[in-house]
Amino acid sequence: MAWDLDDYRRDAERFLEEIDRDYYLHLAGHKPDLEVEAIYERHEALFGLEAVERIGEARREASGEEQRRLRYLHQFALDGHLGARTRTLEARLAELEATLELDIGGEAMPYRMAPVIQANEPDPGRRAAIDSARNALLDERLNPLHLEGLEAVHAACLELGWPSYLDAYSDVRELDLRALAGRLDEFARATEQSYPVTVDPELERTVGMSLGELRRSDLVRFFRAAHLDELFPSDRMIGALRETLLGLGIDLETQDNVILDTEPRPTKSPRAFCSTPRIPDEVYLVLPPVGGREDYATLFHEAGHAEHYGCTDAELEFEFRHLGDNAVTESFAFLLEGLTASPEWLEAVLGADGAERAIEHARASRLTFLRRYSAKIAYEVELHGPGADLEAMPARYSELLGGRVGVEWPRETWLADVDPGFYVACYLRAWALEVEWRGELSERFGAAWFESSEAGEWLRGIWSQGQRLDAEPLLAEASGGSIDFMRLAAELTASV
Ligand SMILES: [Zn+2]
């Protein structure tokens, strides 16, 4: 059969529909098994070497809107091709992760449960013991597979004619990843002085120590911030979301395409998630049965994705609904998530007393996250660059991450801590973009913008474009603004 671009697009859309629905049904606890293997087999041709090359050729000859469609499709084909090359390895990794157990003082602990147990463990010595047992197991059993996978995707990019994995993703994302890492170096320098001043009081409050004494194993406990749970009652969680969206003129009751899944099921995922088999017609927002600060934050984050996709114009081309620059959708997820740490929202919706505590914690943990991500992108640029010396990378990883976060950083996670396809660049730009959306909303509609249906209308106007545009031109078109990491730095270090 002759290769045809329109057939490819139709097949790609069907593939995403099947895969997303399968994940939804499995993770929401409707069915025990994932059937992704069979779905990949049915759509094998999407991810062959030929597809990546053909789309690349068509992209070079196209211009304007069609060229952008083809760029998004090029990334889809490349992601899928690299995924296909490592699928067997990934399956073995998943199986090992699901079955390995740590030995903590004679007590067996499932590998995947370790971070959760660690976050809820008040004793720092025991947290460190869990972390080091997990790292040892990772290094011995999982890292050989992770390394094999990394070498396979690096080789595939060379085979496809790019000088490196870094160059492949700079090309399909049309983003200068080296320059972006440089801008984040500046962010790290700009926040260097005030970092300890901002985080130390929160560290004292959550783990009872300051940066000098902190270990990496204490970070999950710091982010967990169990002392804030009382501000976020479980029985108010769904109501708080409904109320907030209603304030923006969005009624979840009548919004038929965004399906709220609140029913408890024994095998339902403990975290909220959003799944999008058909955009905008079939979008699931799945809610966990519990509450607490982190569950509120996750639920609002996922609701941001659900509304962004749910309000996308059905007439847009497939690429602009399902593919494109995920910095866009992540920025709206961060926008709604950010409400759960905003003084106005906490007071108006939860009637929270002492909201200051939540706001201070959010700022300290956000600054820590961003400094960590600024190191991650610097590291990934080196790891995936042309002729990278892989032997030297575990030490580089530990040096870069440890330096920016200000703690001894174990080397063992040098491969497991890397998301595929430079997703790190989406999160970083989304954090900066969120500052712009929030600034614009406050300026136009006031600090309580979440109570304004005009604000909702303005947002829906932007959401209707799906991911037709990359983050930067979308922002320029909507507000004339630009992504500025220095503005983010200023916000995170404000009252210092
Ligand atoms: Zn997200």
Side-chain angles (χ1 to χ4, degrees), residues 385-457:
D389 175 7
L390 294 186
E391 304 246 313
M393 283 301 147
R396 270 309 272 158
Y397 168 72
S398 163
E399 185 185 343
L400 280 163
L401 273 287
R404 297 259 169 104
V405 183
V407 300
E408 277 295 328
W409 202 270
R411 297 176 176 199
E412 290 88 343
T413 44
W414 70 289
L415 294 165
D417 191 20
V418 175
D419 297 319
F422 278 94
Y423 206 84
V424 57
C426 293
Y427 280 135
L428 282 164
R429 287 157 58 249
W431 269 309
L433 189 56
E434 187 267 346
V435 176
E436 302 302 322
W437 297 138
R438 186 157 35 82
E440 196 67 20
L441 283 160
S442 302
E443 200 171 297
R444 286 174 189 240
F445 310 103
W449 55 265
F450 53 88
E451 290 174 345
S452 153
S453 60
E454 287 94 63
E457 206 173 303

Side-chain angles (χ1 to χ4, degrees), residues 301-302 305 329-330 333-334 423 427:
H301 180 100
E302 297 305 322
H305 286 307
T329 193
E330 294 298 347
F334 287 144
Y423 206 84
Y427 280 135

